Amino acid sequence: MTSKRWAGHALAALLTLSVAAPAMAQADRMVPIAVPAQPNAIPLNTGPLPGAKTKESWHSQYNSVFARNVTEATLTPFLPDPAKATGAAVIVAPGGGFRTLSMQNEGWDVAKALADRGIAAFVLKYRLNQTPAGMADFEKSMAAMFSSVARPTARPNPEEALKGLAPQIADSRAAFALVRQRAGEWKVDPARVGMVGFSAGAMLTVATVLDGQAKPAFIGDIYGPLQPMTVPADAPPMFAAIAADDPLFAGKGFGLIDQWLAAKKPVEFHLYGQGGHGFGMYPKATTSTGWFDAFYRWIVMEGFLKPKAQQHSSPVRGGGARSASEGCHPIESGTPLRQA
């Protein structure tokens, strides 16, 4: 199968499940909304998406909001109270099959939760593949794609994906460069900037590691690709989480975890019994809802809440870090849309 054909199968499956799975039983429809004010979104200046003609649009679904046809990448900061800042930072990459972005559930809500714990967070609104401008035409195009593209029998390969994600990888690189450039202003340690991604955003996160230029200090792969790949010599610590009933990625082995371990790289893997695909920050009656607290505790354990000079003072690399209940009053310098 050619790389282009592979991408069509992989991205169709990612979009199907990133957008639809969290509330399938509710059959919630997409409702167009005005593009929300995003006064603190910083342009990444990676240029317009090549050949793009359709303007950015947004819609609501599942009591959340999504962006489409993103042609100019931005980065929105969510900064903790300076008195509580740990110096750690995370770039957050929402999912949506590279055709939409789950900006609230897998973006802003994640960033707010990180800032509540003293971790500076930056939501990456990366450029997307073009879709029809009108909602009705968009829905028709998706229905046609789903009916003509069989669900893949193998997981998307991040090494192959890298070849077709040049704009998105450029956006990721630019995000890391910006955070490190303004590290002093944002009270961030340039050596402790990680990345967490969801579904397609997790694919981008892994591809960012494979690209080798941005060099995240650590990564989170949340219901993203877990198939085998070549682990770079300088691969960062990885946290991975997925539900056993994920209809896209579960049940096909966990080669990525095996190879990270074989390469003697730090890795933590959570396989939740239920949760489906796309659970993100949605409140659900499943143990998958605990992924965020586990991710935070892992960041603490790996020592990323402390400068390197202090990491050797405790037998546990993250020992002595502030508890999750402290300092939960962030300065949300990047809140793009106030929620009730």
Side-chain angles (χ1 to χ4, degrees):
M1 182 180 291
T2 66
S3 174
K4 183 176 181 180
R5 198 171 153 211
W6 168 86
H9 284 261
L11 301 185
L14 282 168
L15 181 61
T16 303
L17 294 159
S18 294
V19 175
M24 268 210 197
Q26 299 177 23
D28 287 357
R29 294 188 64 80
M30 302 175 189
V31 178
I33 62 172
V35 176
Q38 300 162 78
N40 296 298
I42 303 169
L44 286 174
N45 299 318
T46 48
L49 184 72
K53 297 180 180 179
T54 306
K55 294 182 179 180
E56 181 176 321
S57 61
W58 289 58
H59 64 271
S60 63
Q61 191 177 28
Y62 316 129
N63 298 313
S64 191
V65 297
F66 301 79
R68 288 194 298 122
N69 294 317
V70 175
T71 61
E72 301 276 355
T74 67
L75 192 69
T76 300
F78 287 71
L79 303 180
D81 183 329
K84 306 297 184 181
T86 63
V90 176
I91 291 171
V92 181
F98 301 106
R99 299 188 65 175
T100 187
L101 289 175
S102 180
M103 292 299 295
Q104 184 172 343
N105 179 51
E106 297 172 352
W108 305 334
D109 289 351
V110 176
K112 289 176 183 178
L114 288 165
D116 282 348
R117 288 158 176 77
I119 300 171
F122 302 85
V123 177
L124 175 59
K125 188 174 74 173
Y126 51 89
R127 290 171 289 175
L128 298 174
N129 296 333
Q130 291 266 281
T131 60
M135 185 58 67
D137 289 338
F138 170 64
E139 290 178 329
K140 288 179 182 177
S141 74
M142 296 311 300
M145 182 175 69
F146 299 153
S147 65
S148 62
V149 179
R151 180 171 294 174
T153 56
R155 299 175 183 178
N157 185 323
E159 292 172 286
E160 284 293 315
L162 189 150
K163 301 174 184 177
L165 298 180
Q168 292 81 11
I169 292 173
D171 296 342
S172 181
R173 286 183 203 145
F176 276 91
L178 179 63
V179 171
R180 288 168 177 152
Q181 177 186 349
R182 299 180 64 172
E185 173 188 352
W186 288 331
K187 310 299 183 188
V188 165
D189 180 351
R192 291 187 284 143
V193 183
M195 185 173 185
V196 62
F198 302 80
S199 194
M203 182 185 291
L204 176 57
T205 299
V206 174
T208 297
V209 172
L210 293 176
D211 177 62
Q213 297 190 47
K215 299 190 181 304
F218 56 91
I219 62 170
D221 179 342
I222 313 302
Y223 46 82
L226 290 177
Q227 76 284 357
M229 55 165 267
T230 302
V231 179
D234 61 351
M238 178 177 67
F239 176 96
I242 193 171
D245 61 352
D246 186 318
L248 177 58
F249 291 130
K252 301 182 178 71
F254 307 107
L256 182 64
I257 307 302
D258 294 337
Q259 291 195 264
W260 224 263
L261 287 169
K264 301 187 184 306
K265 303 297 181 182
V267 60
E268 178 159 321
F269 175 47
H270 291 253
L271 175 63
Y272 295 104
Q274 295 181 35
H277 188 85
F279 47 83
M281 300 297 281
Y282 287 120
K284 300 187 72 173
T286 60
T287 54
S288 61
T289 301
W291 79 267
F292 180 83
D293 286 337
F295 179 54
Y296 170 73
R297 290 195 299 272
W298 175 80
I299 292 174
V300 174
M301 182 185 72
E302 288 295 329
F304 289 109
L305 297 196
K306 298 171 105 177
K308 286 186 177 180
Q310 298 179 24
Q311 290 180 18
H312 303 292
S313 63
S314 170
V316 178
R317 282 183 281 178
R322 189 180 309 278
S323 72
S325 62
E326 295 181 278
C328 295
H329 302 285
I331 297 175
E332 296 173 2
S333 66
T335 305
L337 182 66
R338 295 289 179 185
Q339 300 296 321

